[in-house]
Amino acid sequence: MSLKSQVIALLFLLLFIFNSPTAIAQTKINPDSIPFDPAVNYAAGDGPISVFSADLDGDKDMDLAVVNFYSDNISILKNNGDGTFQTAVNYGTGNYPVSVFCADLDGDIDLDMAVTNYLSNNVSILKNNGDGTFQTKVDYGAGDYPASVFCADLDGDTDLDLALVNLGGNNVSILKNNGDATFQNKVDYGAGDNPMSVYCADLDGDFDLDLAVANYLSDNVSILKNNGDGTFQAKVDYVAGDYPASVICADLDGDKDLDLAVANFGSDSVSILKNNGDGTFQTKVDYLAKDGPSSVFCADLDGDEDLDLAVANFGGDNVSVLKNNGNATFQTKIDYVAGDGPQSVFGADLDGDLDMDLAVANYGSDNVSILFNRTIIVNVEDEEEIDQLPKQFSLYQNYPNPFNQSTKIEFALVNSGFVSLNIYDILGRKVRTLVSENLSPGYKSVLWDGKDNSGKKVASGVYFYQLKVENFSEARKLVLLK
């Protein structure tokens, strides 16, 4: 590597490592934690800096793509179907790759990869052979020091184009797809100072995809609205925290428009900017993360149907989880240990149990941490509509009983109210909470899978289930056989 290349690489890293922390006030009390298992680590390449999870080999489980900054390659870790992963297989990229996005770029239903290469000033396209192996990269010119890539249909022609932010060029490059994963020459649009992250989403409700860009040195987020054809209006800037390094768009307050979450590396915080419904945004509200937040991801981590935050903290060697109160206000962070220098976090159901796990790329320890979520998600189903509502509260006998794999518990509610339905062992110890929420009146049902609140199978034997609502309480006996 030339001396010039070494100096440029060092400057890139200093943008992440330089940190001037400031205090952020927190008013929400710390809730019960989400039950993540301790991290399980898998080797990647040298300097993992970005991770993306997707079904790369078509077997319906979620694999990992990990960009390795110093190895000039990308590691593919195939999922065995249970959240354990095979040894990494590496594919060459350009010089100092920093970001990856997996998407069907050539219209053949499998997922290809787009990788930004910081020192090559280009983006590498690696086509999928259909089985999670990849063809040799094809490169397309980007701007100066591209730092992030997002794949989306920007011009409305049903194929996926590329949006790249160029840290050295202070701009965004748009590369339109010809429909076969070959790309037209870039068109550049101005952003802020040292843009680090880009996200594409319909921010103004007009059915085309706009751009949100986190600008590291101007401490703001640029919004570039789409004209409907993949060309963009001049940016409008909104204040974020110190050194914003990552941005994501999601409906955080349940009003069906997309808000912004921004990880601020310099102020150890996450900024939430609520959407007014037209692609303009309210003043930020900040929530404390840990040391050096470098990446933010939004997902329903606790099974309550609103979107929580997961934040990778480069200086804290951990991931902060902030639970959503349902209105885009967030509870105090809870930290979970990752590897050394976590640079990127991605949420996906890695083990097929219907909750969202976390994959974290650890820049300092050359590995990926998997944090399995053990939240128990139970769905309360409305039974077939009956002309009349129940005239009294009732708890019915489970079926089948005895049971082996799962059993159905039905109950009737006269009116709306807070409902609890719990499983107890013969000593009266609570084993599992099936329902603890407000429900509407009607005939309801829920399944018990024979697991306790930690997700472990309980022993064979006699158990009791108890329904409580208003002044009504009733219990019945069930038998689990193995």
Side-chain angles (χ1 to χ4, degrees):
M1 180 181 9
S2 69
L3 177 60
K4 178 182 178 182
S5 295
Q6 293 179 32
V7 171
I8 294 173
L10 178 60
L11 289 174
F12 175 76
L13 292 177
L14 285 174
L15 286 173
F16 289 99
I17 295 171
F18 178 70
N19 188 5
S20 302
T22 56
I24 304 288
Q26 281 286 355
T27 57
K28 294 292 182 182
I29 60 173
N30 197 333
D32 293 337
S33 63
I34 296 173
F36 285 101
D37 284 351
V40 178
N41 297 320
Y42 292 87
D46 192 1
I49 198 168
S50 176
V51 61
F52 199 102
S53 184
D55 181 10
L56 298 175
D57 53 5
D59 61 358
K60 299 184 180 179
D61 51 45
M62 303 293 282
D63 311 300
L64 302 177
V66 184
V67 166
N68 303 302
F69 185 72
Y70 286 119
S71 305
D72 291 345
N73 62 18
I74 186 164
S75 297
I76 302 300
L77 291 81
K78 290 189 178 181
N79 195 328
N80 294 314
D82 57 358
T84 63
F85 292 86
Q86 299 173 26
T87 302
V89 177
N90 298 323
Y91 296 87
T93 62
N95 295 329
Y96 293 106
V98 293
S99 176
V100 60
F101 200 102
C102 300
D104 181 10
L105 298 174
D106 54 5
D108 62 356
I109 306 179
D110 51 44
L111 301 181
D112 313 298
M113 296 189 293
V115 181
T116 52
N117 302 302
Y118 184 75
L119 279 190
S120 304
N121 292 338
N122 60 19
V123 57
S124 295
I125 302 300
L126 290 83
K127 288 189 180 182
N128 195 330
N129 293 314
D131 57 358
T133 64
F134 292 84
Q135 299 174 26
T136 303
K137 70 182 178 72
V138 177
D139 296 330
Y140 295 87
D144 294 337
Y145 312 134
S148 176
V149 59
F150 199 102
C151 303
D153 181 10
L154 299 175
D155 53 6
D157 62 357
T158 71
D159 52 43
L160 300 181
D161 311 299
L162 305 179
L164 320 171
V165 289
N166 303 300
L167 188 144
N170 296 336
N171 58 19
V172 184
S173 294
I174 303 300
L175 288 78
K176 291 188 177 181
N177 194 333
N178 294 314
D180 57 358
T182 64
F183 292 86
Q184 300 173 24
N185 291 335
K186 68 183 179 71
V187 177
D188 295 332
Y189 297 87
D193 295 338
N194 291 109
M196 293 288 291
S197 174
V198 61
Y199 202 98
C200 302
D202 181 9
L203 299 175
D204 54 6
D206 62 356
F207 301 105
D208 52 43
L209 299 180
D210 312 299
L211 306 177
V213 180
N215 301 302
Y216 191 81
L217 288 187
S218 49
D219 296 340
N220 60 18
V221 177
S222 296
I223 303 299
L224 291 81
K225 291 189 177 181
N226 195 329
N227 294 314
D229 57 357
T231 65
F232 292 85
Q233 299 173 25
K235 69 183 177 71
V236 177
D237 296 330
Y238 295 88
V239 174
D242 296 341
Y243 308 131
S246 175
V247 62
I248 192 168
C249 306
D251 182 9
L252 299 174
D253 54 5
D255 63 356
K256 299 184 181 179
D257 52 43
L258 300 180
D259 312 298
L260 305 179
V262 185
N264 303 303
F265 191 90
S267 48
D268 296 342
S269 65
V270 180
S271 295
I272 303 300
L273 291 81
K274 289 189 180 182
N275 195 329
N276 293 314
D278 58 357
T280 64
F281 292 86
Q282 299 174 27
T283 303
K284 71 182 177 74
V285 177
D286 292 333
Y287 295 88
L288 187 67
K290 194 64 174 174
D291 299 333
S294 55
S295 174
V296 61
F297 196 91
C298 297
D300 180 10
L301 298 174
D302 55 3
D304 63 356
E305 298 184 359
D306 51 42
L307 298 179
D308 312 298
L309 305 178
V311 183
N313 301 303
F314 182 82
D317 295 341
N318 59 20
V319 176
S320 295
V321 172
L322 293 81
K323 294 173 78 170
N324 195 333
N325 294 312
N327 58 356
T329 65
F330 292 85
Q331 298 172 18
T332 303
K333 70 180 179 68
I334 301 172
D335 297 328
Y336 299 86
V337 175
D340 297 338
Q343 187 67 64
S344 174
V345 61
F346 200 99
D349 181 11
L350 299 174
D351 54 3
D353 64 354
L354 304 182
D355 52 39
M356 297 294 285
D357 311 300
L358 299 177
V360 184
N362 301 305
Y363 179 85
S365 48
D366 295 339
N367 59 17
V368 180
S369 293
I370 305 300
L371 287 79
F372 290 114
N373 189 338
R374 298 308 180 195
T375 299
I376 306 297
I377 299 176
V378 177
N379 293 319
V380 178
E381 301 289 345
D382 287 313
E383 292 296 289
E384 293 184 8
E385 290 192 11
I386 300 175
D387 291 340
Q388 294 182 343
L389 290 174
K391 295 182 179 179
Q392 62 183 20
F393 292 109
S394 299
L395 178 64
Y396 304 107
Q397 187 63 50
N398 66 299
Y399 179 84
N401 188 44
F403 76 100
N404 176 257
Q405 295 294 326
S406 65
T407 189
K408 185 176 184 180
I409 299 172
E410 298 179 338
F411 54 96
L413 303 178
V414 175
N415 47 40
S416 299
F418 186 82
V419 178
S420 67
L421 178 60
N422 297 303
I423 306 291
Y424 299 89
D425 64 18
I426 58 174
L427 297 179
R429 297 173 298 194
K430 186 187 295 185
V431 172
R432 176 76 174 273
T433 297
L434 293 176
V435 182
S436 181
E437 60 182 302
N438 287 299
L439 294 178
S440 60
Y443 295 91
K444 313 288 182 178
S445 68
V446 65
L447 293 177
W448 183 38
D449 58 5
K451 295 180 181 179
D452 63 17
N453 281 328
S454 67
K456 297 179 180 178
K457 282 284 190 180
V458 301
S460 299
V462 176
Y463 294 86
F464 297 90
Y465 57 103
Q466 183 181 44
L467 177 71
K468 288 185 177 181
V469 55
E470 294 186 354
N471 296 321
F472 175 83
S473 178
E474 185 175 354
R476 288 179 177 268
K477 182 172 67 175
L478 56 77
V479 178
L480 170 60
L481 297 179
K482 293 184 179 180

